[in-house]
Amino acid sequence: VSAVLLMGTSLLAVNNDHDHKEHKLTRAVAVVQPTQKFKTAGVIHLEQKDGKVSITGKVKGLTPGKHGFHIHQYGDLSADDGSSAGGHYAPKGHEHGGPHKAQHHAGDLGNIVADENGVAMIDKQSDDFELTDVIGRAFVVHAGTDDLTSQPSGDAGARAGLAVIGIS
Ligand code: CU
Ligand code: ZN
């Protein structure tokens, strides 16, 4: 028992020491990797600022047009088809929808749009979550378009690219 108590005490001491130096978590990065059969790649930056999270970046290797873009529940890219990332991040439940609808999943970010070269520039903002809520989860870029209506995930098709959100 005394050994456990001692360990507890020293851990507390270390934590207190770190508190003085640690900055508030404000920046994260996610590197997009393709699932099997796709060539999706890119980098996405996140920044917590003024009560919102800005999401900016560039994804390439897409077919021209709209592609569903969401934060999914898990940062688990182990399945070849991306299914291990789970469903849309939705801590409060709700139905699937577009980010501007009254009811939508917190992770519903609508679509990104790829140009004729298959490149999509991302510039979005969300106040549906804090940056700290999504660290360790994953962005999913879909092969198809999120219709912002169909349940449970907008009928956006296969998962073409995934990116775990990591502290930067
Ligand atoms: Cu998705
Ligand atoms: Zn959704």
Side-chain angles (χ1 to χ4, degrees), residues 70 88 95-97 105 107-108 152-153:
H70 317 119
H88 294 181
E95 294 212 309
H96 176 72
H105 301 136
D108 289 346
S153 53

Side-chain angles (χ1 to χ4, degrees), residues 104-162:
H104 59 270
H105 301 136
D108 289 346
L109 297 168
N111 288 286
I112 59 174
V113 184
D115 65 15
E116 68 274 17
N117 299 313
V119 177
M121 300 302 297
I122 301 171
D123 188 1
K124 293 177 181 286
Q125 287 195 325
S126 179
D127 58 4
D128 291 324
F129 51 84
E130 300 275 316
L131 185 58
T132 50
D133 298 330
V134 299
I135 298 291
R137 305 187 190 281
F139 285 112
V140 175
V141 180
H142 289 266
T145 303
D146 183 340
D147 66 15
L148 312 180
T149 303
S150 297
Q151 301 303 319
S153 53
D155 196 24
R159 301 175 180 200
L162 285 84

Side-chain angles (χ1 to χ4, degrees), residues 33-35 38-40 62 67 81 140-143 158-162:
Q33 303 172 48
T35 52
F38 290 93
K39 295 197 168 93
T40 315
L62 297 165
H67 294 268
D81 63 356
V140 175
V141 180
H142 289 266
R159 301 175 180 200
L162 285 84

